[in-house]
Amino acid sequence: MGAIEDVYADLDADVSEDDFREAVEEKVEQMGGLADEETAAMLIAHELTENEAQTVADVQAGMEEVRFLAKVLSIGELRTFERDGDDEDGRVINVEAADETDSLRLTFWDGEAVAVDEGEVEVGDVLRVKGRPQEGYNGLEVSVDQAEQDLDATIDVEPGDGETIDALTMGQSNVTVEGVVLDTEPVRTFERDDGSEGRVANLSIGDETGRVRVTLWDDRADRVEEIDAGTTVEVVDGYVRERDGDLEVHVGEEGAIDELDDADVEYAPETTPIDDVELDETVDIGGVVRSTDPTRTFDRDDGSEGQVKNIRIQDDTDDIRVALWGEKADRDLAPGDEVVCADVEIQDGWQDDLEASAGWGSTVVVLEDGASMATTPDADDAGTAGENNVQDAGASTGLSAFADDGEGGETASDGTGGSTAGAEDGTADGEEVEFTGTVVQTGDPVIVDDGEQTVTVDTTESVRLGEEVTVRGRRRGDEIEAEELF
């Protein structure tokens, strides 16, 4: 074989040998004899493969031209628009496409857009695409120069319709999924490459199979200000993408989030027992709030102001401090609240204790009435934060709360600077007392917290986690032998 045939044989590109040879001859002529056929062939091969994307994930905004395979997952509506200085209206149609690695939007213009609208391209077709990638209003999109159906190629992604959260897969579009709103984040603005301002917001939803982060773009971003945590919603015409290894549902101009009044959706989180967490893990933990510290503000390196609030939560295995950063510090949490802190990072804390950090990618969920957004787990299921009764936590007399010492560390206290023991709170040992507080642990023993003191209650009465009760009885130290409980 000659030099051209040798280079072509090693070339992995969608071009015929005749077209390749013709391009080599043109290159030799352009260079005025400065390159022979072999050099010219290698130059052409490099030009052909430089922007050849192996997968959709390889396509990046800023590439001059790309070629790749993708399956059509949905086709939008044909739209017309006026062009400046042109009497004829332009036409455009958007197509969501994906492979096993990622998804993006294909934009067809004018005659090609009309052809797509008339059925020359259908959902499920695998296309060999050539075009110019750019950052669009709803993420990466490719302005298509050429698209041909490849009947021999197979891509293992399917359009989504009526899915549960755990059934979502990379590349799905036209996704409709219901869930309970777990957490919302405020609208943020950003500048696009073309100088225009974009808007984005996030919320998290959950169902009985799991949870997922939902990203709302531009006009849809305002929905986070209209929907409260605990509301059941339906995401309509979303599309699934991947971020930092996790799937997200994106909602653009063609999608929506609708509130549902009669839907029966439950969120049943599965959590890691607190005593099983390890340094540098990202985990979901759940339990009862034992104490909360005041919110503190601080100056970041860039001069902006940040805020953080520390809480301490306890499950049936241990307790841990959780740092709530940013807007999460504004959450109204109180002792006795049952919470799930999802996607928190376990870090080194004060005095070598582990602590959990709940940042922008974390979700903090208050489970109302103990389990209104969760199914009640089996009694033996220590890793599920459903009812999450905090029993036998290794503290028969109640655990100390922790307050920030103002220097970034903690000091052990009961929230008032004193011990919960009767001798130090002014109550004589064995005196008849009446104590009102929130149940932060059920079972044996029952633990009640009034925001300033924590006591154990010797009682056979049945109580619910988070319930406010009044105990009358004889107090010895930090234990009350209940004569009445109501």
Side-chain angles (χ1 to χ4, degrees), residues 135-136 188-200:
E135 196 66 35
R188 306 183 305 277
T189 61
F190 62 94
E191 184 176 340
R192 294 191 172 90
D193 293 340
D194 62 3
S196 64
E197 183 180 80
R199 304 172 72 247
V200 64

Side-chain angles (χ1 to χ4, degrees), residues 138-461:
N138 296 309
L140 184 66
E141 63 183 40
V142 173
S143 181
V144 177
D145 294 326
Q146 182 179 343
E148 298 177 350
Q149 187 175 0
D150 191 325
L151 299 176
D152 298 324
T154 301
I155 294 178
D156 188 20
V157 294
E158 298 297 335
D161 186 17
E163 302 287 358
T164 56
I165 288 174
D166 72 341
L168 297 172
T169 59
M170 183 62 236
Q172 286 179 310
S173 61
N174 286 347
V175 168
T176 298
V177 63
E178 297 178 359
V180 178
V181 176
L182 307 178
D183 200 3
T184 63
E185 298 177 9
V187 178
R188 306 183 305 277
T189 61
F190 62 94
E191 184 176 340
R192 294 191 172 90
D193 293 340
D194 62 3
S196 64
E197 183 180 80
R199 304 172 72 247
V200 64
N202 296 99
L203 57 84
S204 297
I205 64 172
D207 65 9
E208 62 275 8
T209 69
R211 71 177 182 280
V212 70
R213 185 178 179 89
V214 181
T215 300
L216 312 174
W217 295 96
D218 296 312
D219 292 342
R220 299 295 179 263
D222 292 330
R223 289 293 281 153
V224 299
E225 300 173 352
E226 303 165 355
I227 301 175
D228 296 325
T231 304
T232 301
V233 298
E234 181 181 52
V235 179
V236 181
D237 286 341
Y239 52 98
V240 181
R241 290 199 170 162
E242 185 177 12
R243 178 174 180 176
D244 297 332
D246 294 322
L247 298 183
E248 295 183 345
V249 178
H250 289 235
V251 179
E253 59 184 8
E254 297 174 0
I257 291 189
D258 299 325
E259 297 183 35
L260 301 177
D261 295 328
D262 302 324
D264 183 18
V265 179
E266 293 182 332
Y267 172 56
E270 293 186 359
T271 59
T272 299
I274 290 175
D275 71 348
D276 285 347
V277 303
E278 296 181 0
L279 185 65
D280 295 331
E281 283 186 328
T282 298
V283 297
D284 301 347
I285 55 177
V288 177
V289 176
R290 293 298 311 276
S291 65
T292 65
D293 292 348
T295 300
R296 292 185 294 123
T297 60
F298 58 90
D299 292 328
R300 297 189 179 95
D301 292 340
D302 62 3
S304 63
E305 185 177 81
Q307 62 177 9
V308 62
K309 177 167 69 177
N310 297 319
I311 65 173
R312 185 165 289 272
I313 68 172
Q314 175 186 337
D315 68 6
D316 56 354
T317 68
D318 206 346
D319 65 295
I320 192 170
R321 170 175 166 172
V322 182
L324 308 178
W325 298 92
E327 284 76 14
K328 290 179 176 59
D330 295 327
R331 298 297 300 269
D332 186 15
L333 300 174
D337 286 344
E338 185 180 0
V339 299
V340 172
C341 300
D343 292 323
V344 294
E345 183 179 351
I346 305 302
Q347 301 176 343
D348 272 326
W350 187 64
Q351 291 186 338
D352 296 326
D353 283 340
L354 295 180
E355 67 177 36
S357 177
W360 73 270
S362 305
T363 301
V364 178
V365 186
V366 178
L367 301 180
E368 299 174 359
D369 297 329
S372 67
M373 292 197 295
T375 56
T376 302
D378 296 334
D380 295 332
D381 187 1
T384 301
E387 190 67 28
N388 240 353
N389 293 335
V390 187
Q391 300 177 1
D392 192 19
S396 61
T397 59
L399 299 175
S400 297
F402 284 77
D404 197 287
D405 64 4
E407 299 296 329
E410 296 175 320
T411 57
S413 74
D414 66 354
T416 62
S419 166
T420 59
E424 296 188 20
D425 68 6
T427 301
D429 196 35
E431 182 179 335
E432 291 287 336
V433 298
E434 180 175 294
F435 185 90
T436 300
T438 301
V439 177
V440 297
Q441 176 172 309
T442 62
D444 184 16
V446 171
I447 299 180
V448 180
D449 190 301
D450 70 352
E452 295 183 349
Q453 301 178 54
T454 302
V455 299
T456 62
V457 180
D458 182 5
T459 180
T460 58
E461 296 289 333

